[in-house]
């Protein structure tokens, strides 16, 4: 028997409170990495947000360029939180500070209510599907076409302790990316597990060099590989920081 919780027991509100209760170094680092990634893309791209959990964080910067976004997550309660937000019910969580910070990173000075509302509407317009997914299936999500961009944050590393399995997960998600498409992922740095509420989930133990090594080994184009990191938000986190990596596939 594993000591870890099953994802079916995932509590979206505990998770949001623990990891997104404050906008500190981890969310700042992720937003910055995503803003830089999307800045270089043309408008109208198709985006897959894989394992988005109960969060909007990946879609906020993505919506600047996305023609359409397919959001997927394994846990039904997470998808329900997203569905609520998409129909205008923002009572589960207030994403406006994250939208404001994203807009600032994009160069908007002191974004106000209207600009924040406009980005929220942009996300609502862009999301065309909210579906389940399972990284242990192939393909891991049912989709008619491949995507221009795939964003997957703290998901592929958060379902296993095994590095070979993590590699297999990257390859599996990559099968959904069109030739020349952009893959973006985030992972915990030096974390063997993550805790929140009453639950503990496994994590594959990674150091910064593991990110470019994995992208290379999984067949991404070497010169396109980009890596960044940020410190953990709190001294009592069970990991040292967070790692971000992106790369494109060969055309
Ligand atoms: C640590 S959360 C990350 C959530 C979000 N992407 C974020 O940035 O905060 C891990 C996510 O992995 C998802 N997950 C669990 N098992 C999965 C599976 N078999 N296939 C795909 N995703 C899975 C969970 O539902 C959860 O949303």
């Amino acid at each position: 028997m594993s000591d870890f919780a099953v994802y079916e027991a995932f509590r979206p509100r505990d998770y949001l409170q623990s990891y997104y209760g404050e906008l500190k170094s981890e969310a700042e680092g992720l937003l910055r990495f995503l803003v830089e990634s999307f800045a270089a893309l043309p408008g109208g791209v198709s985006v897959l947000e894989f394992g988005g959990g109960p969060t909007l964080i990946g879609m906020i910067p993505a919506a600047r360029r996305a023609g359409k976004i397919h959001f997927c997550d394994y846990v039904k309660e997470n998808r329900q939180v997203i569905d609520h937000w998409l129909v205008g019910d923002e009572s589960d969580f207030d994403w406006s500070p994250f939208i404001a910070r994203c807009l600032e990173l994009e160069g908007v000075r002191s974004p106000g209510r209207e600009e924040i509302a406009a980005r929220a509407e942009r996300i609502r317009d862009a999301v065309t599907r909210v579906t389940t997914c399972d990284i242990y299936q192939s393909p891991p999500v049912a989709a008619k076409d491949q995507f221009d961009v795939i964003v997957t944050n703290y998901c592929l590393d958060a379902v296993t302790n095994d590095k070979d399995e993590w590699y297999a997960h990257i390859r599996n998600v990559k099968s959904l990316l069109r030739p020349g498409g952009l893959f973006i992922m985030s992972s915990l740095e030096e974390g063997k597990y993550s805790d929140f509420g009453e639950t503990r989930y496994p994590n594959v133990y990674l150091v910064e060099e593991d990110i470019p090594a994995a992208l290379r080994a999984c067949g991404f184009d070497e010169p396109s590989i980009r890596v960044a990191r940020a410190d953990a938000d709190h001294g009592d986190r069970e990991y040292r920081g967070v790692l971000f990596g992106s790369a494109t596939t060969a055309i």
Side-chain angles (χ1 to χ4, degrees), residues 7 15 20 51-53 55 73-75 78 134-135 153-155 159:
Y7 270 100
Y15 180 76
Y20 295 95
T55 82
D73 194 74
Y74 181 74
V75 172
N78 288 342
D134 185 353
I135 196 60
N153 300 317
Y154 313 120
C155 175
V159 290

Side-chain angles (χ1 to χ4, degrees), residues 7 10 15-16 19-20 30 49-55 57-58 72-76 78 95 133-137 140 152-159 186 194 196 201 203:
Y7 270 100
F10 194 89
Y15 180 76
L16 287 169
Y19 290 100
Y20 295 95
L30 176 55
E49 165 77 49
F50 188 87
T55 82
I57 190 139
C72 65
D73 194 74
Y74 181 74
V75 172
K76 188 169 131 215
N78 288 342
W95 287 102
C133 61
D134 185 353
I135 196 60
Y136 291 96
Q137 303 295 316
T152 182
N153 300 317
Y154 313 120
C155 175
L156 307 184
D157 61 323
V159 290
S186 318
S194 68
F196 59 92
Y201 291 95
N203 217 90

